Amino acid sequence: MLTRCAEIVGRLGQNGEVSREELVLLLENIGDDALLEELRKNAQQTAQAVFGNKIYIRGLIEISSVCKNDCYYCGIRRSNKNAVRYRLSREQILACCENGYALGFRTFVLQGGEDGYFTDEVLCGIVSEIRFRYPDCAITLSLGERSRESYRRLLEAGANRYLLRHETADERHYARLHPPELTLEHRKECLYALRELGYQTGAGFMVGSPYQTVGNLADDLLFIRELQPQMCGIGPFIPHHDTPFRDFAAGSLRMTLMLLSIIRLMNPRILLPATTALGTIAPKGRELGVLHGANVVMPNLSPMEHRKDYSLYDNKLCTGDEAAECIRCLSGRMKTIGYEIVTDRGDYK
Ligand code: 5AD
Ligand code: FES
């Protein structure tokens, strides 16, 4: 390992300022096994100092595969005529929560495409009912860009958290992943509004998305440092066969793990999921994520019959088992590496 890299890693973990150039240097040394292991060891130690060997679970409910956006990477983009569209009813969503609650989930994540059916009125009705039935649970929304007023009303209805990945912190790169009507500027406005309104906010990005450079990734890390979100979702880009990016390579396991470790070291208390996408590109992806500093997993609580249709990328995990099966499987997996799944809400502390 270069002495310079060793010194930067040391500083990362001690709340030390690191420059963009220094982050680029670390990322360029992705081939260095000793560097990766040093980052991993420090990141795991940092996560354990804050969270012990506990892993939080979030129950993911994919409420709609209808989306008005046309992001070039995403399998449920509006131009994908082969995508099967579904939308869960209020009753189906509440049934997922009921099932999830019985299984021990205390956080529900309602995720979906930007589906015009879910107006503020419809969504607030659902959120306030979940809030009424499960006063001890956290309600997380992940429904894309909405107005500040909409975010305010949803918060008032009882939502606590909002996930909105920034996808890439570089304007030009953003424009290569999205059609012109979607801008990084607006995405950031949403994130700042969410944070200011009082949501526990999650940002995040894909690793190895088409045209991404190490400079872009350094900017993602700096953006996370600036925004200081309570959560950060990162996972490898995985091509979907019905999108313009079908022929691009998937992001690498190694780079995703390196970034998880760097994010943990730069943001010791952040809630950092070992994502489904990470579990999809490698058989032990999520376990490796935890060993590199992640502390959250998000099993799927969506109704079985729709899981295959919330297909953001190819070969997505958890399209065959039951939610209960999913938790057992995940608990077992975490146990093999010395971690324990816990059912408390796991708020940012
Ligand atoms: N590969 C990996 N992640 C993807 N997402 C969407 N499409 C893909 C893909 N092809 C991620 C985006 C989005 C989240 C819901 O899923 O980062 O924010
Ligand atoms: Fe879903 Fe293992 S986590 S089956």
Side-chain angles (χ1 to χ4, degrees), residues 73-75 111 142 165 167 187 205-206 235-240 277 310 312-313:
Y73 45 86
C74 183
Q111 183 173 88
S142 177
R165 290 187 177 180
E167 311 297 357
R187 185 56 65 119
F205 53 96
M206 288 179 290
F237 160 75
I238 302 174
H240 184 289
Y310 196 80
L312 305 179
Y313 45 81

Side-chain angles (χ1 to χ4, degrees), residues 92-341:
Q92 283 176 306
I93 295 170
L94 290 168
C96 291
C97 294
E98 190 178 337
N99 178 30
Y101 194 89
L103 292 169
F105 286 95
R106 294 299 176 265
T107 294
F108 304 121
V109 183
L110 274 49
Q111 183 173 88
E114 294 191 19
D115 177 354
Y117 169 83
F118 286 104
T119 58
D120 293 346
E121 211 179 321
V122 171
L123 263 181
C124 285
I126 296 169
V127 169
S128 55
E129 184 61 25
I130 300 174
R131 174 54 59 237
F132 174 73
R133 293 193 190 180
Y134 308 101
D136 57 329
C137 291
I139 303 173
T140 305
L141 302 178
S142 177
L143 300 166
E145 299 182 4
R146 303 177 73 92
S147 69
R148 184 190 169 91
E149 176 59 12
S150 171
Y151 290 147
R152 195 194 59 72
R153 290 176 63 180
L154 290 163
L155 188 76
E156 200 176 70
N160 317 91
R161 307 180 184 154
Y162 205 103
L163 307 177
L164 182 67
R165 290 187 177 180
H166 64 280
E167 311 297 357
T168 173
D170 180 273
E171 301 268 3
R172 277 167 308 175
H173 187 220
Y174 199 93
R176 301 188 85 168
L177 302 181
H178 302 94
E181 63 272 18
L182 294 173
T183 64
L184 178 60
E185 191 187 4
H186 190 251
R187 185 56 65 119
K188 285 187 177 176
E189 271 171 31
C190 290
L191 282 164
Y192 284 108
L194 289 163
R195 203 186 59 174
E196 199 189 283
L197 285 163
Y199 280 95
Q200 292 179 45
T201 305
F205 53 96
M206 288 179 290
V207 179
S209 58
Y211 314 111
Q212 185 179 63
T213 63
V214 285
N216 296 152
L217 287 168
D219 287 336
D220 288 322
L221 295 168
L222 295 175
F223 177 64
I224 295 296
R225 182 166 79 189
E226 180 202 306
L227 178 71
Q228 300 214 339
Q230 283 84 11
M231 304 164 276
C232 181
I234 74 162
F237 160 75
I238 302 174
H240 184 289
H241 62 279
D242 282 324
T243 63
F245 288 165
R246 65 177 65 88
D247 294 327
F248 283 88
S252 79
L253 173 68
R254 206 173 155 92
M255 186 56 99
T256 308
L257 296 173
M258 185 186 212
L259 285 158
L260 282 172
S261 295
I262 296 176
I263 294 171
R264 169 60 65 213
L265 288 170
M266 291 176 75
N267 315 270
R269 319 192 67 83
I270 204 165
L271 295 160
L272 193 60
T275 55
T276 306
L278 183 57
T280 300
I281 57 159
K284 292 244 154 68
R286 285 168 299 181
E287 290 90 322
L288 285 167
V290 168
L291 294 171
H292 286 76
N295 73 318
V296 174
V297 289
M298 302 172 69
N300 200 322
L301 283 181
S302 307
M304 287 316 309
E305 65 269 31
H306 295 300
R307 285 202 199 166
K308 62 182 181 321
D309 300 327
Y310 196 80
S311 174
L312 305 179
Y313 45 81
D314 290 341
N315 307 314
K316 189 164 162 261
L317 285 184
C318 297
T319 45
D321 297 274
E322 283 182 70
E325 193 45 49
C326 230
I327 305 198
R328 260 198 301 278
C329 155
L330 266 176
S331 305
R333 283 167 175 268
M334 294 302 138
K335 224 179 241 163
T336 63
I337 53 167
Y339 284 78
E340 182 194 1
I341 282 188

Side-chain angles (χ1 to χ4, degrees), residues 27-82:
L27 297 169
E28 280 172 348
N29 280 274
I30 178 78
D32 183 337
D33 288 342
L35 169 62
L36 238 73
E37 179 52 21
E38 183 69 10
L39 282 165
R40 191 204 68 73
K41 204 179 68 209
N42 294 357
Q44 187 185 21
Q45 253 166 29
T46 301
Q48 285 186 346
V50 181
F51 305 102
N53 71 336
K54 311 255 181 288
I55 302 293
Y56 297 121
I57 48 172
R58 319 295 195 200
L60 186 63
I61 306 172
E62 293 154 341
I63 68 170
S64 176
S65 69
V66 177
C67 191
K68 71 171 165 63
N69 288 338
D70 219 14
C71 308
Y72 305 143
Y73 45 86
C74 183
I76 62 166
R77 63 199 299 267
R78 69 159 186 268
S79 299
N80 181 8
K81 299 291 175 269
N82 295 327

